[in-house]
Amino acid sequence: MTTRKAQLAAEVRTLRNRVVGVTDVVVASVDGLLITAETDDTAEPESLAALTAATLNIARRAGSMTHRGLLHHTVSQFTDGYLVTHSLGDMALIGVLGDAGMDITRLHTEAQASAQRITTLLTEPPADAGHHDRTGEGAR
Amino acid sequence: MGQEVARTLAEAPLHRVSGTLLVAGDPGGSFHLRDGAIAEVASPGAPGAETLLLRSARISETDWAAATLSCPAERPLGAELVERKLVGAAELQLICVAAALDGALAIGMGRIDGFTLERDTHDCRVPALRPIEPDWLVREAERRIRALAARRHPFSPFRTRLGRTDAGTAALDTAADGERREILLRVNGRRSTRDIAFLLGRSLYAVAVEVSRLLGEDLVEAVVPDASTATDPYAGPRTPTDGLPRRLPGASGITNVLPLRPAAGL
């Protein structure tokens, strides 16, 4: 049986494999706690998760202060690559590190699709939750 | 589709086309044309001139930032770099031509879904100081694609992840400094040839040729993405078996595609 953790791990791997130039992907809670990661040996997953959350939260506050609505994503471009963060609703986020050649247009398309699937994985009740409920009802 | 892209490029000088030929695909890319000649080829699949200059430390990031800040919009960045004596004109032209060839190689070796010509756009990053003849570029890119396809161990520069074999790890102790050692050091089971070319700031073709040799000598191998390599914070410490690469020649499917490509043009 595929566990939810394995499904999340597969999802970030898919994102990395589909977009040329992606080197690292993390999924974290809004407060920066690592949920899952697919990272190279140059990036430390916990730190990347925390920094991604900080980046997204600063951008969100800037948007809020200037009445720009909901935040979708941020893009930080460096001489040697990118850090792109995507918001997953109010509860989680995706951080993507890429090299200087990363296909940023394709990343946005693929990240949007991944975001929907990851959100579903994070929010849907565990497979055995329904079973417990039914058991409980039966007991009553 | 590749043939049509090649034909469009070959006909560009006749109509003195200026603009951008956008090639959709994986990795896809763009040919930037000025008066029918090629000024730059950009693709996510190959390092551009900027990466080649910066990653190879030919130009420092500080000098680069200063040059881009003070360069007027209408002036090619290359001219500014040469005027500041950050790079010689001949060397810069060589790098721009190598980057353009690499870009065409990446576009030609990948999947092409379609293309559009946007006329009169000028969004080059580092255009070549002297324009490149499209016909020559197409022929040379074709020749390089054929050369890579004819190797004993064809592989995809974008999809095939490379792992070091035990022999490859042992070779690190004896290998002399140079490109081969630099490549071997960066092979870690999750990087492709293209990723290593970006890391080193070297030409995609040059790295691909060296990787092909390393594959032939069994110092590196194609690996299957391992489901257990994703970091799971709840799974506890990784076992040593997590990262063991498994051989899967042609797993990317490139061996089926490559032999057909050169005949298709680009």
Side-chain angles (χ1 to χ4, degrees):
Chain A
M1 191 177 102
T2 310
T3 66
R4 187 173 305 192
K5 281 181 283 182
Q7 287 175 303
L8 280 169
E11 200 55 62
V12 295
R13 238 184 352 263
T14 301
L15 180 59
R16 178 177 163 257
N17 287 332
R18 281 195 177 167
V19 184
V20 172
V22 169
T23 56
D24 311 85
V25 184
V26 293
V27 176
S29 61
V30 279
D31 49 4
L33 290 176
L34 182 65
I35 295 172
T36 192
E38 164 68 32
T39 53
D40 209 332
D41 49 16
T42 50
E44 209 270 307
E46 280 82 9
S47 303
L48 183 58
L51 289 170
T52 302
T55 305
L56 206 59
N57 284 330
I58 288 171
R60 187 176 279 130
R61 285 177 65 178
S64 169
M65 195 192 79
T66 53
H67 310 291
R68 288 298 182 266
L70 288 175
L71 176 67
H72 297 154
H73 64 262
T74 69
V75 178
S76 308
Q77 186 176 4
F78 310 93
T79 46
D80 219 9
Y82 295 88
L83 169 62
V84 180
T85 69
H86 278 258
S87 174
L88 297 177
D90 293 332
M91 57 180 299
L93 52 91
I94 308 177
V96 177
L97 271 180
D99 60 31
M102 184 171 73
D103 191 342
I104 198 94
T105 312
R106 192 180 173 102
L107 173 69
H108 287 316
T109 309
E110 295 290 346
Q112 211 161 4
S114 289
Q116 286 168 0
R117 291 191 293 266
I118 291 170
T119 304
T120 304
L121 283 170
L122 291 174
T123 53
E124 71 182 3
D128 57 350
H131 173 71
H132 288 309
D133 287 344
R134 280 194 299 276
T135 309
E137 281 171 13
R140 279 195 298 271
Chain B
M1 186 64 74
Q3 266 182 339
E4 289 174 47
V5 173
R7 196 179 310 125
T8 306
L9 285 171
E11 289 171 1
L14 297 174
H15 310 291
R16 297 181 68 82
V17 173
S18 288
T20 305
L21 184 71
L22 284 167
V23 182
D26 186 14
S30 52
F31 294 86
H32 299 271
L33 298 153
R34 275 188 191 165
D35 293 327
I38 290 171
E40 186 178 39
V41 184
S43 168
E50 180 177 350
T51 302
L52 295 180
L53 287 165
L54 287 172
R55 288 294 305 188
S56 62
R58 283 186 178 90
I59 297 180
S60 74
E61 291 190 2
T62 317
D63 287 340
W64 180 270
T68 48
L69 267 177
S70 59
C71 182
E74 65 281 1
R75 186 175 195 206
L77 181 58
E80 179 77 20
L81 297 173
V82 171
E83 191 179 283
R84 287 170 171 253
K85 299 192 187 334
L86 297 174
V87 62
E91 187 183 11
L92 180 62
Q93 179 67 12
L94 212 62
I95 288 168
C96 288
V97 171
L101 272 170
D102 263 1
L105 181 91
I107 294 169
M109 283 187 88
R111 192 188 73 237
I112 298 177
D113 296 331
F115 67 95
T116 51
L117 178 61
E118 289 183 357
R119 289 180 185 270
D120 302 320
T121 55
H122 298 286
D123 51 357
C124 288
R125 187 71 184 145
V126 190
L129 294 174
R130 291 191 307 281
I132 305 163
E133 191 193 329
D135 203 37
W136 174 83
L137 184 102
V138 169
R139 271 188 285 113
E140 183 58 20
E142 277 181 7
R143 187 192 69 75
R144 292 182 176 203
I145 292 172
R146 281 201 185 92
L148 286 177
R151 297 229 161 218
R152 231 179 78 217
H153 298 274
F155 61 99
S156 165
F158 321 111
R159 297 280 165 218
T160 307
R161 309 280 175 189
L162 303 164
R164 231 177 12 233
T165 61
D166 290 341
T169 305
L172 276 175
D173 295 332
T174 53
D177 286 348
E179 187 156 274
R180 160 171 285 236
R181 183 179 166 78
E182 294 298 312
I183 291 170
L184 264 179
L185 278 170
R186 283 159 183 84
V187 165
N188 67 353
R190 65 196 303 284
R191 291 176 183 147
S192 65
T193 303
R194 172 242 172 248
D195 297 339
I196 295 171
F198 268 88
L199 273 174
L200 292 173
R202 306 253 170 93
S203 150
L204 176 71
Y205 181 68
V207 175
V209 168
E210 194 54 54
V211 164
S212 177
R213 288 189 190 125
L214 291 168
L215 281 165
E217 294 169 34
D218 280 333
L219 298 180
V220 300
E221 61 186 0
V223 297
V224 180
D226 188 342
S228 62
T229 52
T231 307
D232 183 346
Y234 309 106
R238 290 186 194 176
T239 61
T241 54
D242 273 349
L244 278 182
R246 283 183 290 158
R247 182 190 289 274
L248 189 69
S252 64
I254 195 69
T255 46
N256 301 325
V257 177
L258 266 180
L260 301 174
R261 280 287 173 190
L266 250 195

